[in-house]
Amino acid sequence: MAKNNLKSLDITETIGSITLTDGETSIDVPRLSMSKIIQIVKFIGTDGIRIYKQMRELLMNDELSTFDRLISVVDELKEEQVIRIMAIILGVEDKEALKLDLNEVLDVLIILSENTNLDKTFTQVRTLAKVMFKVEIPDFQTLIQERFPAATEEETVAAEVSA
């Protein structure tokens, strides 16, 4: 059996496209390359920590009510900080990403989710954590059940009736 030696990566850069709200313009949704993942990790690891540090001081300020603390945190966040990860994903400037509407952002996330094997990624992260750090990360179903405990039968019936 012949073995192929890979000399370069000829990988499709886009995994889909979305049509913007105007109905005429479309944008390509690129795959999440390692370059983009590294950019996102760097943003979270640098700017994210700075943002957290600033917000932590506000959240710990006992002179403010809980409501005032939340208002202060929201007021301190810059729009560019909130949209930065989407800008990295799309490979555009923050100001361009801010022009997208909610449905367009959700369309991008849907295309990424549909075209990325997130189950495999999660399983690989679990395996890597176990091998490298001897840490057992629960499976995805367990995480969901822990975060969102099953509703009681009465709550389920009430939700069905109100729908």
Side-chain angles (χ1 to χ4, degrees):
M1 182 191 248
K3 185 177 179 182
N4 292 333
N5 288 328
L6 188 62
K7 300 288 183 200
S8 69
L9 297 176
D10 185 21
I11 298 173
T12 305
E13 295 295 319
T14 60
I15 57 173
S17 67
I18 65 164
T19 302
L20 300 182
T21 306
D22 67 10
E24 297 176 16
T25 310
S26 69
I27 58 173
D28 288 334
V29 178
R31 61 188 277 281
L32 278 178
S33 64
M34 280 311 301
S35 173
K36 290 185 184 299
I37 299 291
I38 291 168
Q39 289 175 44
I40 291 169
V41 168
K42 285 173 66 176
F43 168 72
I44 292 169
T46 56
D47 291 6
I49 290 173
R50 279 188 214 117
I51 293 166
Y52 172 75
K53 219 172 159 182
Q54 293 168 347
M55 300 308 150
R56 186 175 184 279
E57 290 175 21
L58 287 172
L59 291 170
M60 302 298 281
N61 186 347
D62 291 332
E63 295 173 12
L64 298 173
S65 70
T66 302
F67 188 68
D68 288 334
R69 290 180 211 173
L70 291 174
I71 290 172
S72 297
V73 166
V74 171
D75 189 46
E76 286 293 315
L77 286 173
K78 294 177 180 68
E79 290 81 4
E80 292 82 6
Q81 293 170 321
V82 176
I83 199 72
R84 182 71 188 131
I85 291 175
M86 183 59 61
I88 291 169
I89 289 169
L90 292 174
V92 299
E93 295 296 320
D94 298 345
K95 291 191 184 302
E96 289 299 308
L98 282 168
K99 293 178 183 178
L100 296 170
D101 72 22
L102 176 62
N103 293 319
E104 294 162 348
V105 170
L106 290 172
D107 285 342
V108 169
L109 295 174
I110 289 168
I111 287 178
L112 283 170
S113 297
E114 289 175 343
N115 292 284
T116 305
N117 190 342
L118 298 175
D119 288 336
K120 179 178 179 179
T121 303
F122 186 75
T123 300
Q124 289 175 313
V125 168
R126 286 182 67 215
T127 302
L128 189 60
K130 186 175 182 177
V131 170
M132 290 181 71
F133 306 111
K134 309 291 187 252
V135 173
E136 193 72 43
I137 298 174
D139 63 61
F140 196 67
Q141 187 65 33
T142 302
L143 286 174
I144 295 295
Q145 288 173 347
E146 287 174 0
R147 292 284 183 180
F148 307 103
T152 65
E153 188 175 325
E154 294 159 358
E155 292 171 328
T156 304
V157 170
E160 290 171 356
V161 169
S162 67

